[in-house]
Amino acid sequence: MVAGAAPYGNIYDAALAVKGDRIAWIGPSSQGRNAAAGQGVPVEDTHGRWMTPGLIDCHTHLIYGGNRVEEFEKRLCGESYEAIARAGGGIQSTVQATRAAAADALRASAAVRARRLMSEGVTTIEVKSGYGLELAAERRMLEVARELERDLPVSIKTTYLGLHALPPELRADRQRFVEQVSGAWLETLAAAGLVDAVDAFCEDIAFSLAETEQFLRAAQRLGLKAHVHAGQLSDMGAAELAAKYGALSADHLEYVSAGGVCALAASGTVAVLLPGAYFTLRQTTPPPVPLLRQAGVPMAVATDSNPGTSPCTSLLLTLNMACTLFGLTPEEALSGATRHAARALGLQGEVGTLEVGKRADFALWDIARPAELCYGLGANPCTGVVHRGKIRAA
Ligand code: DI6
Ligand code: FE
């Protein structure tokens, strides 16, 4: 997946050597075999399988209580996502269930979802808070995210999604909520080492541009990087704001303007495309992929795994949707779950390509060509995963 080389950065008939948790060497298979034999290094024969970098799901809300199957049913009986949200359902119902859940229960249900992602070759997952909306519950979500990394052979990046929805107890006092989130809560969570980045849902059913900016400014003061939920349902200018603050990523982008695309290109912010949410909400305006492509904005693809708008735990299915619904080429989609997803998490020096010095995170696939990873609906051709240099048990 190294940029600029052959399609997909393909290397044929290759061997890869691992030392500790790093890729130590990549070269011709025969040379690797000889060197390994000479030095008594153990060899694993992959029987001609394809190897890719470990996949990266760079936008998830993996931790939550309950589910939203009733809302799914309501939407199919004609109610809109926005109407349900305005009536106190939607995110609020997940907030109630998440607040009520013990940490053990949150950890167990999130681990099931994480394992599903991992079974498809995923080695890095970004996990957002945002269903607590009070300090203790947000802290619990972020702690559970850290514990997932301790319990499972997967790398986790945590995101404090401070501005996701207004908590019921502060519905009459938005300003106070935004001040707490941007002030004491952010400082406390960051000081506890729980925050790798922040995020805000900038949308007319959620938080305004000014409120989002207040939070991003506070994060910047603490030296924290940001993601922004931008342009999912309407154009608020959130992509431009993300660019202004040098955000790692602007996510969704169905309604981003041409000016927003230019701003992302100039700031090097990654566009994270989330076709699972688009699909679930039965949206009809896809993100402007031709414009993003033309402007040279790196495009990542992620599941947005969440109970409301993307109850999805398959990154491979998401790659298919990125191609079928958004018009990405299979090579763009696969870059979006490897190299560009790494950049969206600020991990481009560590993961996302198979290169000497990078983390030994990779997946083996029983496929004939890379596009097959985007082609199937519900297939899982993953036959093995190495995470930080260790073969992951099936
Ligand atoms: N955008 C989304 O698609 C999810 N959050 C967000 O900011 C939806 C979350 C939910 O409905 O529970
Ligand atoms: Fe999201």
Side-chain angles (χ1 to χ4, degrees):
M1 299 312 299
V2 177
Y8 299 90
N10 283 345
I11 311 172
Y12 291 90
D13 196 18
L16 177 151
V18 172
K19 186 169 189 187
D21 68 345
R22 298 283 140 178
I23 297 172
W25 180 86
I26 301 175
S29 166
S30 54
Q31 205 179 319
R33 248 174 230 288
N34 290 339
Q39 297 175 37
V41 172
V43 174
E44 296 279 338
D45 191 341
T46 65
H47 304 286
R49 293 211 165 93
W50 282 87
M51 176 187 286
T52 66
L55 303 188
I56 300 167
D57 193 349
C58 67
H59 180 143
T60 84
H61 310 247
L62 212 62
I63 298 171
Y64 55 85
N67 68 33
R68 298 256 286 283
V69 64
E70 285 171 45
E71 176 184 328
F72 173 69
E73 207 160 17
K74 272 190 191 151
R75 280 206 311 273
L76 286 163
C77 293
E79 282 182 52
S80 74
Y81 179 71
E82 288 96 328
I84 292 167
R86 285 210 175 85
I91 293 179
Q92 296 299 343
S93 65
T94 299
V95 170
Q96 270 182 13
T98 304
R99 286 180 175 182
D104 284 355
L106 289 178
R107 195 165 52 237
S109 62
V112 169
R113 293 186 279 269
R115 282 189 191 283
R116 287 191 189 134
L117 292 172
M118 291 160 61
S119 73
E120 292 184 343
V122 170
T123 49
T124 302
I125 307 174
E126 184 263 10
V127 177
K128 301 178 195 295
S129 69
Y131 289 122
L133 308 182
E134 63 191 6
L135 181 57
E138 289 290 310
R139 179 201 289 265
R140 188 162 66 234
M141 289 187 73
L142 292 166
E143 285 170 350
V144 166
R146 288 278 188 247
E147 288 159 6
L148 282 180
E149 184 170 49
R150 181 199 64 195
D151 295 347
L152 299 173
V154 69
S155 302
I156 303 278
K157 278 286 193 183
T158 61
T159 299
Y160 174 40
L161 175 47
L163 300 182
H164 196 197
L166 263 188
E169 61 277 9
L170 283 176
R171 205 162 292 153
D173 199 351
R174 313 179 55 89
Q175 196 44 42
R176 174 131 168 268
F177 177 69
V178 176
E179 267 162 28
Q180 279 177 333
V181 164
S182 310
W185 295 6
L186 177 60
E187 280 159 30
T188 302
L189 297 169
L194 293 169
V195 181
D196 295 331
V198 302
D199 195 349
F201 188 17
C202 186
E203 198 60 62
D204 57 10
I205 59 163
F207 293 91
S208 70
L209 203 60
E211 290 165 338
T212 303
E213 181 156 20
Q214 187 178 339
F215 184 45
L216 294 187
R217 208 180 302 121
Q220 192 176 59
R221 257 188 256 118
L222 295 179
L224 293 168
K225 288 287 187 184
H227 309 282
V228 180
H229 281 72
Q232 180 184 12
L233 307 168
S234 64
D235 181 24
M236 311 265 294
E240 289 87 334
L241 185 69
K244 176 176 166 190
Y245 281 84
L248 289 169
S249 71
D251 304 43
H252 288 286
L253 298 174
E254 277 79 355
Y255 289 90
V256 68
S257 68
V261 171
C262 288
L264 295 177
S267 65
T269 298
V270 177
V272 178
L273 308 183
L274 304 166
Y278 176 89
F279 171 81
T280 301
L281 296 177
R282 298 196 291 173
Q283 288 181 276
T284 51
T285 305
V289 166
L291 219 54
L292 290 163
R293 191 184 277 142
Q294 196 186 358
V297 177
M299 293 181 281
V301 175
T303 62
D304 197 15
S305 188
N306 79 73
T309 63
S310 191
C312 171
T313 48
S314 172
L315 189 52
L316 294 182
L317 176 61
T318 305
L319 295 185
N320 176 277
M321 291 193 285
C323 296
T324 306
L325 299 175
F326 290 173
L328 267 64
T329 67
E331 184 176 356
E332 285 174 331
L334 199 54
S335 303
T338 53
R339 185 170 82 249
H340 295 322
R343 176 170 292 278
L345 299 177
L347 290 175
Q348 61 271 23
E350 280 286 293
V351 292
T353 58
L354 298 178
E355 288 181 273
V356 171
K358 284 207 172 171
R359 212 184 274 163
D361 282 4
F362 45 85
L364 288 168
W365 308 95
D366 188 9
I367 55 175
R369 52 179 65 233
E372 220 171 310
L373 296 178
C374 305
Y375 166 69
L377 291 165
N380 183 10
C382 184
T383 61
V385 177
V386 170
H387 174 248
R388 293 184 184 265
K390 292 207 177 72
I391 298 176
R392 192 196 271 168

